[in-house]
Amino acid sequence: MAGSTRIGVLALQGDVREHARILTDLGADVVLVRRPEELARVDGLVIPGGESSVMDKLSRAFGLQGPLRDAIAGGLPVYGTCAGLIMLADRIVDAIDGQETLGGLDVTVRRNAFGSQVESFEIDLDVPAVGTPPVHAVFIRAPLVEHVGPGVEPLAALPDGTVVAVRAGNLVGTSFHPEMNGEPRFHRLLLDAARDRTGIAA
Ligand code: GLN
């Protein structure tokens, strides 16, 4: 295979394996990232779903918070799903005490926004940025995007207008989990951005 692109999956906590599988199927060379040296080797990064408050604590304990912030500011393409979107948000509503994010996306997200009675649901969403057919989106104790700053492009919304996917520069975030049902098109966006940045032909 001609020069495959190295994509990291932040592997502190969460559904790492599902992301690794999709990325491998797309032809990426997958690196599980738990230390700064691993982060330094990747051309793009997925921050998985899981529990953002735990991921935040572990990223600080593993000395990754600073390197992750620097990588994001330096233009590393990053895709965050669910807890990963929370990690990328500049502001969180309903965070736990002391919870920090990496930031980079000028959005406000509300954690666990859909309430206990509908903690999980699935719906087909039109996402023009990834084309047809609609994306079958799985929401699990998902955040919603409450405020979108200038320069942030909403990529998808629920029928009531609630924004659930965004993009700004090198960063993409979705409230839902495409990796749960083998939906590859968001990961392909990440891979394309990583290839553009490194100049490796697809
Ligand atoms: N509720 C979780 C959080 O706050 C996110 C859930 C998920 O990633 N599926 O981090």
Side-chain angles (χ1 to χ4, degrees):
M1 197 188 313
S4 66
T5 308
R6 275 192 304 265
I7 304 290
V9 181
L10 187 63
L12 300 173
Q13 191 265 339
D15 65 333
V16 172
R17 197 179 322 174
E18 289 80 357
H19 286 285
R21 184 171 310 136
I22 290 200
L23 291 164
T24 302
D25 287 350
L26 290 174
D29 181 1
V30 175
V31 177
L32 300 186
V33 172
R34 295 192 187 88
R35 322 160 187 271
E37 309 83 84
E38 290 152 354
L39 179 65
R41 294 174 46 219
V42 302
D43 308 311
L45 181 74
V46 169
I47 306 183
E51 174 47 53
S52 57
S53 58
V54 175
M55 237 181 267
D56 166 43
K57 282 189 186 138
L58 291 175
S59 70
R60 289 189 262 164
F62 281 64
L64 268 172
Q65 189 192 56
L68 283 165
R69 285 179 172 166
D70 290 347
I72 290 167
L76 183 74
V78 183
Y79 171 38
T81 61
C82 203
L85 165 62
I86 297 172
M87 293 296 288
L88 288 176
D90 282 348
R91 296 166 299 277
I92 326 176
V93 176
D94 285 348
I96 70 159
D97 262 5
Q99 181 173 354
E100 296 178 11
T101 70
L102 301 168
L105 273 178
D106 180 9
V107 297
T108 305
V109 297
R110 177 177 291 275
R111 287 179 66 232
N112 302 331
F114 296 98
S116 53
Q117 76 280 29
V118 277
E119 282 186 343
S120 302
F121 62 98
E122 304 183 19
I123 188 170
D124 286 339
L125 292 178
D126 284 326
V127 187
V130 302
T132 51
V135 170
H136 187 70
V138 179
F139 292 78
I140 303 168
R141 302 190 68 234
L144 65 75
V145 181
E146 239 176 37
H147 172 78
V148 177
V152 178
E153 177 193 5
L155 297 183
L158 295 175
D160 69 0
T162 303
V163 174
V164 290
V166 291
R167 171 165 64 186
N170 51 317
L171 307 177
V172 173
T174 60
S175 302
F176 49 88
H177 290 271
E179 76 285 2
M180 294 275 169
N181 48 314
E183 162 63 64
R185 288 174 285 174
F186 292 91
H187 296 77
R188 197 172 289 139
L189 284 182
L190 176 71
L191 208 50
D192 288 346
R195 283 175 176 144
D196 280 354
R197 192 156 172 267
T198 55
I200 295 174

